[in-house]
Amino acid sequence: MKEHSIKIEKTAHYYSIGELNKQTNELWIVCHGYGQLASFFIDKFKELNKDNRYIVAPEGLNKFYLHGFDGRVGANWMTKEKRLDEINDYCLFIEQITDTIKEKANPKCKIISLGFSQGTSTISRWLLRTKYKIDSLILWGGKIAYDFDFKNYKQKHPKTKNFIIFGTKDQFYSMDNINEYRKKTSFDNVKWINYSGGHTIDEQTLKKLVHEID
């Protein structure tokens, strides 16, 4: 048996909040977690809507039924099967979205990147490949890609503000697990944030975070 691969055109989707024009000076790219859909995930950010801010939520390229063979559908960014191809595909997808938006936005538009749960690996891998300057990186409720190159990241994004956020009641990460992860994570400019909540985007924490980014 021989294995083959070809490049094809594929329709990808993303959702947005806000108006995109030459006054847009702040772009948020927010990547959902495993089994979520971007159309629902972006609703967590509706309170951030304001003039000159544009929020986009790309949707994972893989869709599946969450339970059995029908009913609710979710998306994911990658699995272990053909993982390098999937990483390449979603990094290209996010880069093309950013290209499209940057052409229409203010030339000095800031970029804030946020990954939630599985989206933390997704957004962190894209940051190592993008040609754009990233002003802030937010990793929420998930760990950075295990193969993340911190040295490369520091050279590529030396002035990026980094935020790592976990809920104290996150069902996937105990506080012991988070503290152990903290010892192994070597960002230079990073702030760790905890909130009293589970595995979700906490709206109050998000609002406070916006003020720190500004």
Side-chain angles (χ1 to χ4, degrees), residues 19-35:
E19 298 296 326
L20 176 61
N21 52 49
K22 288 301 180 182
Q23 282 69 52
T24 302
N25 56 26
E26 189 175 297
L27 165 63
W28 284 62
I29 302 172
V30 299
C31 290
H32 63 77
Y34 181 86

Side-chain angles (χ1 to χ4, degrees), residues 90-195:
Y90 70 58
C91 285
L92 179 61
F93 171 36
I94 298 173
E95 189 76 356
Q96 288 185 351
I97 291 174
T98 310
D99 288 341
T100 299
I101 295 169
K102 288 287 284 184
E103 287 179 359
K104 300 176 181 178
N106 188 292
K108 296 182 179 180
C109 180
K110 295 181 179 180
I111 299 178
I112 292 91
S113 58
L114 181 150
F116 171 72
S117 193
Q118 190 192 39
T120 58
S121 294
T122 302
I123 203 73
S124 63
R125 288 191 170 106
W126 171 68
L127 289 185
L128 294 180
R129 301 181 182 215
T130 183
K131 59 181 171 287
Y132 294 105
K133 171 182 173 289
I134 305 300
D135 293 274
S136 296
L137 166 64
I138 304 159
L139 302 175
W140 194 312
K143 295 181 179 180
I144 203 163
Y146 75 89
D147 53 356
F148 188 77
D149 188 334
F150 282 98
K151 182 178 179 181
N152 184 8
Y153 177 74
K154 292 172 185 177
Q155 293 174 345
K156 191 176 180 67
H157 303 288
K159 297 183 179 180
T160 300
K161 296 179 182 178
N162 303 290
F163 300 88
I164 300 178
I165 306 174
F166 283 97
T168 57
K169 300 175 183 177
D170 192 311
Q171 58 267 45
F172 298 105
Y173 299 98
S174 68
M175 290 308 297
D176 287 342
N177 184 275
I178 294 169
N179 290 332
E180 188 63 27
Y181 169 55
R182 184 169 184 169
K183 295 176 185 178
K184 300 177 181 178
T185 306
S186 59
F187 285 111
D188 287 335
N189 180 20
V190 61
K191 180 170 184 178
W192 290 75
I193 299 173
N194 291 329
Y195 62 92

